[in-house]
């Protein structure tokens, strides 16, 4: 490499004047090391065996999953399957989790997961659950942080592109789901050109039960068919409100990059959800037809059930005064972020050169004055100057998202100028800036969208990595970059690849989660209908063409491990119970010719793999998770006879013929 | 002050009741895969551990080298030992009532004899588990025994085994000390 460069050097010197943008003439700020903080390595070094200080939950974007990293080390701890099937863990392949991916469209094995959001109590992250939205087939998932598994997925009815979601209220009363696409409401066959008349945008409030976390679609607010981009709920003084950004207030359906970028100002929609609760109580809602799935996983039966719902309560702003106000905000605002006090609402106008900040207090005063600029479908539009708190002038290009450090500073990402800019809340002055490699989208400070930020680290998530890592063909990884923000200046410490495309992320002090993390499932609490609580309970039961194998696993054998009497055309359900009661002793199960995946069974759990043998023969099965010194011996055989054969059903373990 | 020996004897008798609350002994196995150790607890009437799965985990580890599974139902001591302790508590209260040196001494001697018998019995069980190995063990190491230490620390293959009294055992020892002090004080007051 060096030789090549030195050979090229004379040419570069000659050409430098003309070819400023070639690699030899890179501007200093784009040098590969970047503004690396001094002593960065030791500050992200978490010695082998030591724990990280924070968990980071980083969305997997189009992978559909949620990744868990340790901060500051950037070590990947787990990928939690959420909206996409995961053959590694059997998620969506075993019988128990298939219902989790059920929707009104049937089984959907993929989604685009964007915004993780931790549950909060009194505006502070509490480490109980992490929510995340599915964008394409509108859904919201709840991940249980005691198991790090997806516990619930609810579909959002009459919505299209669930992007402004899930963004919790400060006691996790609700998570929200605003539609990115206007769609006919309810869905029907109409001309796309009739967008302005026929299309609507629904903002959905999903209630979260305080003890169980169970989600229900509580109500929807039906608004004009703008594109509802992002959201954040109020906190402190603004608790009771949610703010949604909009673009395409032009109401166009084609060539949006031009047509939806014409209005000088779009809106932030402010929803008074406490008022909405009153209207619901008073019965001022309409019941609309809907079709959506509510899927819940139950740790006691180790399985999920899917329920279809057919109605939704809808509030129409014209019939519910005081429910919705529009705050004019320049140029297609993307993120909307509320500072820890709840006073300031930052509209990140992505096509604007400035950053607009609204005041909650001024918004309340403007509402009291009733001096509205205009009204759209019964929704008052407040006057821009009446609600404006301040403007961060020319901080960068393409502002997207803002987080807070709890010390009066805000940090905003700029996609186009590829940087994070630090500014002071209240004086709106820019105090620092740090480059990102490259094209940063979201950023995350642990607790940075809550009332109590932990302002030590900032993670910026980049869409483009180009030359940052060893090349891997045309498709390159996306990345996250860790900055130390404890001082006056942001310092880049670390740069690490992510799974899928990271959108938003959440961070939380590890201490809030570590002690809640479960080690095993107590076997005596296993209520799976096909469990075998010990080797004495194992059996093989034939019901017509369906065969249920009640099998156990413990280091280092299956019981039974020899099965005969299976026939071509049978549907064989292997119900595996892991009898282990020790931490980190899962066993896996795979059988030759299975056209789904392996299953991975945690201690005390039961999981089921469906196997449909197509040919006669004797087929091996084995444990896929290296469980013990005799893991390789953890194997068995199942004999398959012809469809009409009368091979008797029998099974055994060692010399014990069990039947 | 005059009642002090009697009070001590009373406390000595009661201290044995701790055996109904806490284990009398613990055996902890440390290995690379068990950084926190597998800690088995021996109560007077059951076997347990720091987690409900401890005994199963010990049995899983032991079966590789052909040790037989530890089944609480097959250990008769776990059935009757609690009655021995109750009888000792009762006799201790009788000694308190008698309030004589010979009674205190007699109870103390009984305690010491039973403790020695108990430890010997424990040794026999350990010897049996450690030496009585299955012919079909997956892992056979010629000449090796897997007997845990009676008390103290011992390296067994990849494990470090630690065997020590638990709270119940310490209270049993406290009972002995209290009874001994009670006897000694009664002797002293007599002479004085
Ligand atoms: Cu295994």
């Amino acid at each position: 490499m060096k030789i090549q460069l030195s050979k090229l050097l004379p040419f570069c010197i000659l050409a430098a004047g003309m070819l400023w943008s070639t690699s030899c003439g890179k501007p200093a700020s784009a040098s590969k090391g970047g503004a690396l903080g001094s002593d960065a390595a030791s500050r992200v070094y978490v010695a082998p065996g030591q724990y990280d200080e924070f968990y980071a939950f980083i969305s997997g974007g189009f992978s559909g999953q949620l990744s868990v990293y340790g901060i500051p080390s950037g070590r990947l701890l787990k990928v939690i399957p959420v909206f996409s099937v995961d053959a590694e863990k059997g998620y969506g392949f075993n019988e128990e989790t298939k219902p989790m991916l059920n929707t009104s469209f049937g089984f959907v094995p993929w989604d685009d997961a964007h915004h993780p959001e931790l549950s909060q109590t009194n505006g502070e992250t509490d480490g109980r659950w992490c929510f995340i939205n599915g964008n394409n087939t509108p859904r919201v998932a709840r991940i249980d942080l005691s198991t790090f598994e997806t516990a619930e997925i609810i579909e959002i009815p009459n919505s299209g592109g669930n992007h402004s979601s899930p963004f919790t209220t400060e006691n996790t009363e609700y998570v929200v789901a605003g539609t990115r696409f206007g769609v006919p409401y309810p869905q029907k066959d109409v001309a796309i050109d009739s967008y302005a008349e026929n299309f609507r945008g629904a903002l959905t409030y999903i209630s979260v039960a305080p003890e169980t976390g169970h989600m229900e679609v509580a109500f929807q607010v039906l608004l004009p068919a703008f594109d509802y981009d992002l959201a954040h709920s109020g906190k402190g003084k603004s608790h009771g409100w949610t703010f949604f950004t909009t673009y395409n207030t032009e109401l166009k359906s084609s060539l949006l990059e031009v047509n939806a970028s014409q209005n000088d100002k779009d809106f932030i929609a402010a929803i008074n959800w406490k008022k909405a609760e009153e209207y619901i109580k008073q019965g001022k809602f309409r019941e609309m037809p809907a079709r959506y799935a509510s899927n819940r996983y139950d740790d006691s039966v180790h399985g999920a059930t899917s329920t279809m719902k057919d109605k939704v309560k809808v509030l129409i702003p014209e019939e519910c005064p005081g429910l919705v106000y529009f705050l004019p905000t320049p140029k297609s605002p993307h993120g909307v972020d509320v500072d820890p006090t709840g006073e300031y609402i930052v509209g990140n106008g992505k096509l604007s050169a400035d950053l607009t900040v609204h005041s909650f207090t001024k918004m309340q005063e403007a509402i009291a004055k009733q001096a509205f600029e205009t009204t759209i479908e019964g929704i008052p539009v407040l006057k821009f100057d009446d609600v404006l708190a301040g403007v961060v002038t020319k901080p960068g290009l393409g502002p997207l998202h803002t987080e807070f450090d709890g010390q009066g500073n805000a940090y905003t990402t700029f996609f186009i100028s590829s940087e994070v800019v630090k500014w002071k809340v209240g004086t709106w002055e820019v105090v620092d800036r740090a480059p990102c490699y490259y094209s940063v989208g979201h950023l995350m400070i642990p607790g940075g969208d809550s009332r109590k930020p932990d302002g030590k680290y900032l993670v910026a998530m980049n869409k483009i990595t180009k030359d940052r890592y060893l090349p891997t063909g045309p498709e390159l990884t996306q990345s996250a970059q860790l900055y130390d923000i404890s001082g006056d200046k942001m310092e880049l410490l670390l740069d690490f690849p992510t799974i899928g495309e990271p959108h938003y992320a959440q961070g939380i002090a590890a201490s809030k989660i570590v002690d809640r993390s479960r080690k095993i499932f107590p076997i005596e609490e296993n209520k799976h209908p096909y469990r075998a609580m010990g080797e004495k309970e194992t059996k093989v039961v034939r019901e017509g063409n369906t065969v249920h194998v009640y099998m156990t696993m413990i280091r280092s054998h299956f019981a039974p491990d020899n099965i005969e009497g299976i026939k071509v055309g049978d549907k064989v359900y292997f119900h595996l119970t892991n009898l282990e009661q020790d931490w980190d002793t899962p066993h896996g199960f795979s059988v030759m010719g299975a056209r789904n995946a392996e299953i991975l069974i945690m201690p005390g759990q039961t999981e089921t793999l469906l196997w449909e043998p197509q040919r006669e023969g004797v087929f091996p099965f084995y444990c896929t998770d290296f469980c013990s010194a005799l893991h390789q011996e953890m194997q068995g055989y199942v004999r398959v006879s012809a469809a009409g054969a009368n091979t008797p059903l029998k099974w055994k373990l060692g010399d014990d013929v069990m039947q | 002050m005059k009642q002090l020996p009697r009070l001590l004897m009373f406390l000595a008798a009661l201290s044995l009741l701790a055996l109904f609350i806490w284990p009398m002994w613990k055996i902890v196995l440390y290995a690379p895969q068990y950084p926190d150790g597998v800690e088995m607890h021996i109560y007077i009437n059951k076997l347990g551990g720091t987690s409900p799965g401890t005994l199963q985990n010990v049995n899983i580890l032991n079966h590789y080298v052909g040790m037989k599974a530890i089944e609480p139902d097959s250990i008769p001591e776990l059935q009757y030992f609690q009655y021995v302790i109750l009888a000792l508590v009762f006799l201790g209260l009788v000694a308190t009532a008698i309030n004589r040196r010979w009674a205190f001494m007699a109870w103390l001697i009984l305690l010491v004899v039973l403790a020695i018998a108990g430890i010997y019995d424990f040794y026999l069980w350990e010897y049996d588990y450690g030496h009585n190995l299955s012919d079909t063990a997956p892992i056979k190491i010629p000449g090796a025994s897997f007997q845990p230490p009676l008390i103290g620390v011992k390296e067994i293959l990849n494990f470090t085994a630690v065997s020590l009294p638990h709270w119940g055992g310490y209270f049993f020892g406290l009972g002995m000390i209290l009874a001994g002090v009670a006897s000694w004080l009664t002797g002293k007051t007599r002479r004085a």
Side-chain angles (χ1 to χ4, degrees):
Chain A
M1 198 64 197
K2 265 184 185 161
I3 298 163
Q4 284 176 340
L5 277 178
S6 62
K7 274 184 187 166
L8 284 170
L9 206 59
F11 168 76
C12 285
I13 292 166
L14 281 174
M18 295 181 291
L19 299 169
W20 174 245
S21 61
T22 61
S23 61
C24 309
K26 265 188 183 179
S29 67
S31 69
K32 280 202 73 175
L36 196 64
S38 62
D39 195 22
S42 70
R43 282 146 74 188
V44 299
Y45 182 70
V46 177
Q50 299 299 304
Y51 287 167
D52 278 286
E53 189 180 350
F54 294 94
Y55 283 98
F57 296 90
I58 301 183
S59 79
F62 39 64
S63 81
Q65 319 297 45
L66 177 66
S67 59
V68 187
Y69 286 85
I71 297 294
S73 72
R75 297 182 294 191
L76 177 64
L77 306 175
K78 186 173 185 180
V79 176
I80 303 170
V82 184
F83 294 115
S84 296
V85 295
D86 181 358
E88 174 192 327
K89 298 180 173 70
Y91 182 80
F93 291 102
N94 62 36
E95 296 306 300
E96 286 76 9
T97 53
K98 280 180 184 172
M100 291 300 282
L101 299 176
N102 191 37
T103 71
S104 61
F105 299 92
F107 181 84
V108 176
W110 169 86
D111 214 313
D112 184 14
H114 277 230
H115 311 122
E117 177 85 346
L118 291 166
S119 57
Q120 295 184 7
T121 304
N122 297 323
E124 201 181 333
T125 55
D126 58 21
R128 300 208 290 165
W129 307 303
C130 188
F131 301 88
I132 190 165
N133 60 319
N135 212 16
N136 183 56
T137 304
R139 285 176 281 179
V140 169
R142 178 174 57 87
I143 289 103
D144 185 335
L145 296 183
S146 68
T147 57
F148 281 64
E149 283 175 9
T150 304
E152 188 169 2
I153 293 180
I154 192 162
E155 193 180 355
I156 312 302
N158 299 328
S159 183
N162 180 33
H163 195 265
S164 39
S165 179
F167 308 110
T168 184
T169 56
E170 73 175 23
N171 291 300
T172 321
E173 292 95 342
Y174 298 97
V175 290
V176 299
T179 185
R180 168 185 161 190
F181 298 99
V183 286
Y185 193 106
Q187 271 290 8
K188 57 186 172 243
D189 173 18
V190 293
I192 301 173
D193 274 353
S194 69
Y195 192 93
E197 312 90 271
N198 280 326
F199 287 47
R200 284 290 172 278
L203 306 184
T204 306
Y205 279 74
I206 300 160
S207 63
V208 180
E211 290 303 316
T212 58
H214 285 163
M215 300 187 287
E216 299 275 2
V217 172
F219 58 88
Q220 293 188 316
V221 180
L222 201 57
L223 295 182
F226 305 153
D227 290 23
Y228 295 89
D229 202 5
L230 280 152
H232 260 111
S233 280
K235 50 183 84 101
K237 62 169 77 168
S238 53
H239 178 57
W241 291 78
T242 310
F243 306 95
F244 291 85
T245 47
T246 67
Y247 63 102
N248 194 23
T249 52
E250 296 86 350
L251 295 172
K252 297 296 188 226
S253 63
S254 185
L255 194 61
L256 264 64
E257 69 167 315
V258 175
N259 290 331
S261 305
Q262 294 308 304
N263 288 350
D264 249 6
K265 293 191 178 69
D266 297 278
F267 301 120
I268 287 174
I271 313 288
N272 185 340
W273 58 261
K274 291 242 163 147
K275 198 100 189 167
E277 286 180 334
E278 288 169 27
Y279 284 124
I280 294 286
K281 224 177 254 168
Q282 292 163 20
K284 287 206 174 161
F285 57 85
R286 299 199 198 174
E287 205 154 64
M288 300 292 268
R291 195 169 147 69
Y292 63 101
S294 163
N295 310 328
R296 287 177 185 165
Y297 187 89
D298 179 345
D299 278 331
S300 66
V301 298
H302 300 295
T305 46
S306 178
T307 315
M308 275 297 165
K309 311 256 175 149
D310 59 4
K311 279 194 233 19
V312 59
K313 290 173 181 162
V314 177
L315 295 170
I316 315 284
E318 271 174 316
E319 301 164 0
C320 303
L323 178 64
V324 188
Y325 297 92
F326 284 144
L327 284 63
T329 306
K331 300 306 283 182
S332 304
H334 191 59
V336 53
D337 301 289
V338 182
D339 87 306
T341 67
E343 167 64 11
Y344 296 112
I345 302 140
V346 181
N348 303 272
K350 65 175 184 268
L351 307 179
S352 167
D354 298 335
L355 205 57
T356 307
V357 185
H358 298 300
S359 153
F360 180 73
T361 309
K362 289 178 89 174
M363 181 187 107
Q364 295 293 76
E365 287 162 7
I367 291 170
K369 268 198 317 201
Q370 299 264 316
F372 304 133
E373 193 172 281
T374 178
T375 306
I376 300 173
E377 294 187 20
I379 300 162
V381 179
L382 303 174
K383 288 181 180 153
F384 179 70
D385 291 332
D386 283 356
V387 293
L388 186 72
V391 173
V392 184
T393 314
K394 306 227 168 0
L397 275 180
L400 292 186
H401 301 279
T402 300
E403 294 258 295
F404 304 89
D405 67 1
Q407 270 121 54
N409 301 303
Y411 300 75
T412 302
T413 52
F414 291 82
F415 180 83
I416 300 170
S417 52
S418 190
E419 60 188 332
V420 179
V421 172
K422 176 181 177 182
W423 51 276
K424 282 215 170 321
V425 179
T427 67
W428 326 120
E429 62 180 310
V430 171
V431 291
D432 191 23
R433 57 180 68 240
C436 299
Y437 306 93
Y438 306 96
S439 290
V440 59
H442 282 266
L443 77 170
M444 176 275 277
I445 292 169
D449 70 338
S450 75
R451 280 170 70 173
K452 287 227 178 80
D454 236 324
K456 187 170 179 184
Y457 297 112
L458 181 154
V459 178
M461 285 152 284
N462 303 316
K463 309 294 186 189
I464 295 169
T465 55
K466 283 264 163 47
D467 60 345
R468 297 295 293 179
Y469 305 102
L470 288 173
T472 54
E475 197 205 357
L476 301 172
T477 184
Q478 281 81 14
S479 79
Q481 290 188 304
L482 181 77
Y483 298 81
D484 183 332
I485 56 164
S486 58
D488 287 341
K489 292 268 171 202
M490 293 179 265
E491 285 184 88
L492 177 62
L493 299 181
L494 183 70
D495 178 318
F496 57 94
T498 57
I499 61 153
E501 181 191 334
H503 290 265
Y504 196 31
Q506 292 269 281
I508 185 170
S511 58
K512 289 189 189 176
I513 290 184
V514 168
D515 294 336
R516 314 169 53 86
S517 192
R518 298 181 70 162
K519 295 185 168 176
I520 59 162
F521 297 103
I523 186 93
E524 66 277 6
E525 291 170 19
N526 184 329
K527 300 279 184 299
H528 192 290
Y530 293 99
R531 67 191 179 272
M533 302 289 271
E535 292 184 0
K536 290 195 181 80
E537 291 185 16
T538 58
K539 59 188 171 184
V540 183
V541 179
R542 175 179 284 283
E543 293 162 3
N545 278 342
T546 301
V547 179
H548 291 284
V549 181
Y550 296 67
M551 197 184 274
T552 61
M553 49 211 325
I554 196 162
R555 281 164 285 171
S556 303
H557 60 269
F558 295 98
D561 64 6
N562 280 197
I563 299 167
E564 299 193 352
I566 305 297
K567 294 172 208 170
V568 171
D570 280 348
K571 279 167 101 82
V572 183
Y573 290 93
F574 287 100
H575 307 286
L576 275 297
T577 301
N578 183 350
L579 297 176
E580 304 282 356
Q581 291 288 279
D582 197 0
W583 194 19
D584 199 12
T585 52
H587 291 285
F589 175 82
S590 67
V591 54
M592 187 174 165
R595 284 167 292 160
N596 32 30
E598 66 153 350
I599 51 175
L600 205 57
I601 305 100
M602 298 304 126
Q605 201 177 34
T606 303
E607 281 192 8
T608 303
L609 189 75
L610 171 62
W611 186 60
E612 294 171 282
Q614 296 160 287
R615 326 173 189 156
E616 294 164 43
V618 178
F619 300 97
F621 57 84
Y622 70 98
C623 173
T624 49
D625 190 318
F626 206 113
C627 55
S628 61
L630 294 163
H631 158 75
Q632 205 68 351
E633 284 70 16
M634 193 162 170
Q635 62 181 53
Y637 288 105
V638 52
R639 173 180 168 193
V640 178
S641 305
N646 43 22
T647 316
L649 198 61
K650 61 178 185 182
W651 58 94
K652 71 169 189 172
L653 169 67
D655 296 329
D656 299 336
V657 176
M658 303 170 105
Q659 168 78 18
Chain B
M1 205 50 205
K2 213 179 146 197
Q3 290 295 315
L4 183 62
R6 193 177 197 184
L7 178 67
L8 292 178
M9 185 58 223
F10 179 67
L11 292 176
L14 290 191
S15 64
L16 299 194
L17 290 174
L19 287 164
F20 288 88
I21 305 170
W22 292 294
M24 54 183 171
W25 212 265
K26 65 177 177 188
I27 297 177
V28 196
L29 301 172
Y30 295 95
Q33 299 81 358
Y34 293 91
D36 296 331
V38 181
E39 184 169 332
M40 192 168 88
H41 291 159
I42 301 163
Y43 291 79
I44 47 171
N45 54 1
K46 63 179 179 186
L47 298 176
T50 42
S51 87
T54 298
L55 193 57
Q56 175 174 297
N57 295 336
V58 169
N59 283 336
I60 288 170
L61 297 174
N62 288 353
H63 95 281
Y64 291 119
V65 291
M67 293 168 72
K68 62 185 173 193
I70 302 169
E71 305 266 10
D73 290 346
S74 69
I75 302 175
E77 285 86 337
L78 295 175
Q79 307 303 319
Y80 67 73
F81 202 60
Q82 52 189 322
Y83 300 108
V84 175
I85 297 297
L86 281 177
L88 280 173
V89 173
F90 176 73
L91 290 175
L93 293 176
V94 169
T96 310
I98 294 169
N99 196 20
R100 289 284 151 80
R101 192 178 189 215
W102 65 264
F104 296 171
M105 290 288 286
W107 192 77
L108 175 61
I109 289 162
L110 187 61
L111 220 57
V112 170
V113 168
L114 274 166
I116 291 168
I119 287 172
Y120 182 62
D121 184 58
F122 179 49
Y123 174 82
L124 290 181
W125 276 110
E126 284 193 334
Y127 185 90
D128 182 47
Y129 279 116
H131 289 83
N132 208 344
L133 304 176
S134 163
D135 294 339
T136 59
I139 300 172
K140 286 197 196 110
I141 294 164
S145 99
F146 304 101
Q147 184 178 353
L150 193 58
I151 184 161
V153 184
K154 186 178 167 189
E155 303 290 327
I156 308 171
L157 287 189
N158 59 325
F159 280 96
T160 303
V162 180
S163 177
L164 287 173
H166 205 289
W167 284 115
Y170 288 123
F171 271 93
F172 191 92
L174 180 70
M176 287 192 215
I177 293 167
L178 289 175
V181 174
S183 311
W184 179 64
L185 284 178
T186 354
K188 224 171 68 166
T189 42
R190 281 277 163 81
R191 262 177 267 128

